[in-house]
Structures are given as C-alpha cells and as structure tokens.
Amino acid sequence: MVITFSLIFGVFVGAIVILTFVVPAFLAVKRNEKGPAPRKISLGVLGLLVINWLLFLTGSYALLPTNIAELIFIPVWLVLCVAGVIVAAYEFKNNKGFAIPVAGLTTISFLFSVLASGISKM
C-alpha cells in the first residue's frame, strides 16, 4: 500500500511538473506578442515559494530548534500555497505564461505540505 501510494503520488507530481513547464512553452510559441509584465506582488509570492523550497532542500529548517521548526513548517507552506492560488488566479487574466508555472509550483507545494502533515501525524 505504501509503495503504491508513493508511486501514484510521484506520477501525479511528475505530471504537474511536466504540465507546468510544457504548457507555458506552447503558450509562448503561439503568442508572439509580448504580454504585460507580472505584478510585483506576484513576483514576490513566486520568490517566497522558491525561497521556501530552497530552505527545505538545503536543510535549513533542520537548523532551527525542533519545537520552533514544527511550529512554523506546515503553516508557512500552507500560507504560501494560499497566496500562490490567489496570485495564479489574479495573473491568469493578464499573463497566462506566468500564472501556469506559479499554479504548478503552488500545487506541488500544497501536495507536499499535505504529505508532510500526514507523515508528521503518524
């Protein structure tokens, strides 16, 4: 059961990653005109999502005391996911090439936070 769940989860996340990078490439090729630039708040949320992933992948959360890391880890991920959904919905009207990767990264972050929350409660 565990192997099946992780295999399905991996395939699902892989499909999201592929769609995140392939769909905007096709949109950019179809549309030769330069669209409006993303808003600064959208770039800020994307930057925070990337920084959060970099902090996680480099193990920076492990440097914090255990009780503080447990207190901030899941809420930070979930707040960034909500902000990412809002930014993706807001930018989808103006700049689809920017909104789709933000939505993909937000979806992967949300799935990871749900997985991490489930594992921490075992």
Side-chain angles (χ1 to χ4, degrees):
M1 179 68 183
V2 173
I3 294 173
T4 306
F5 179 70
S6 59
L7 181 64
I8 292 170
F9 183 76
V11 168
F12 189 65
V13 169
I16 291 170
V17 167
I18 289 171
L19 288 175
T20 299
F21 294 110
V22 171
V23 171
F26 283 121
L27 287 175
V29 169
K30 281 186 174 181
R31 211 170 124 183
N32 291 332
E33 65 195 48
K34 185 172 175 133
R39 291 177 174 76
K40 290 180 183 177
I41 190 79
S42 302
L43 292 173
V45 169
L46 179 63
L48 288 173
L49 279 167
V50 170
I51 287 172
N52 196 28
W53 271 103
L54 288 175
L55 287 174
F56 171 72
L57 293 174
T58 58
S60 296
Y61 285 116
L63 298 175
L64 296 171
T66 307
N67 55 355
I68 294 174
E70 289 176 0
L71 185 66
I72 67 169
F73 185 70
I74 298 295
V76 166
W77 283 91
L78 292 177
V79 166
L80 284 175
C81 289
V82 169
V85 166
I86 292 169
V87 162
Y90 188 67
E91 284 291 333
F92 194 74
K93 298 175 200 170
N94 295 332
N95 195 345
K96 291 180 182 166
F98 180 78
I100 293 173
V102 170
L105 186 59
T106 301
T107 304
I108 292 170
S109 296
F110 178 72
L111 290 173
F112 179 77
S113 66
V114 169
L115 180 69
S117 176
I119 289 174
S120 70
K121 292 184 179 169
M122 287 181 138

